[in-house]
Amino acid sequence: MNKTELIEALASKAGTSKVAAATLLDAFTATVSDTLKKEEPVVILGFGTFSVSARSARTGRNPQTGEPLKIKATKVAKFKAGTKLAESVKKAKKKAAPKK
């Protein structure tokens, strides 16, 4: 699902216009981004948690030449699914799995 499809689905489920759904989605993503910039988590009970994780510096390899290179330490955004989301995905997988 891409952003346009998500906006259409949100508008349909909320019974609102696509413009309103797009505005709310943009506001949601901006709010999550702003909160993560402050290194604070965003917790949505049952859905999941957005947080910031630190990756330490390490040595990697250039895949073309095989030469070692230094990779700087960085911070990355992370998402951990909540219990309700994880369970709904787990149930959907069981339904979609082919029977043996």
Side-chain angles (χ1 to χ4, degrees), residues 3-35:
K3 185 176 180 179
T4 303
E5 293 167 340
L6 178 58
I7 289 169
E8 289 173 4
L10 288 171
S12 175
K13 288 200 182 227
T16 188
S17 71
K18 290 180 188 177
V19 173
T23 301
L24 288 172
L25 180 60
D26 289 342
F28 173 77
T29 56
T31 302
V32 171
S33 294
D34 292 344
T35 304

Side-chain angles (χ1 to χ4, degrees), residues 7 9 11 14 17 25-27 30 41 45 52 57 62 65 72-73 76-77 79 82 86 89 94-96 99:
I7 289 169
S17 71
L25 180 60
D26 289 342
L45 291 178
V52 176
N62 181 327
T65 64
K72 294 180 181 179
V76 294
F79 177 77
V89 170
K94 286 182 182 180
K95 290 179 185 177
K99 294 181 180 180

Side-chain angles (χ1 to χ4, degrees), residues 2-100:
N2 62 32
K3 185 176 180 179
T4 303
E5 293 167 340
L6 178 58
I7 289 169
E8 289 173 4
L10 288 171
S12 175
K13 288 200 182 227
T16 188
S17 71
K18 290 180 188 177
V19 173
T23 301
L24 288 172
L25 180 60
D26 289 342
F28 173 77
T29 56
T31 302
V32 171
S33 294
D34 292 344
T35 304
L36 292 178
K37 284 177 190 173
K38 296 185 248 179
E39 296 188 34
E40 296 174 4
V42 177
V43 180
I44 304 171
L45 291 178
F47 182 73
T49 302
F50 296 90
S51 61
V52 176
S53 179
R55 285 192 184 160
S56 58
R58 61 195 190 281
T59 302
R61 293 214 175 266
N62 181 327
Q64 293 180 341
T65 64
E67 292 180 27
L69 57 102
K70 292 181 182 177
I71 301 172
K72 294 180 181 179
T74 188
K75 294 177 185 173
V76 294
K78 185 169 91 169
F79 177 77
K80 183 173 190 285
T83 306
K84 288 181 184 178
L85 177 61
E87 287 297 318
S88 69
V89 170
K90 193 175 188 181
K91 288 178 185 176
K93 272 181 117 177
K94 286 182 182 180
K95 290 179 185 177
K99 294 181 180 180
K100 293 182 181 181

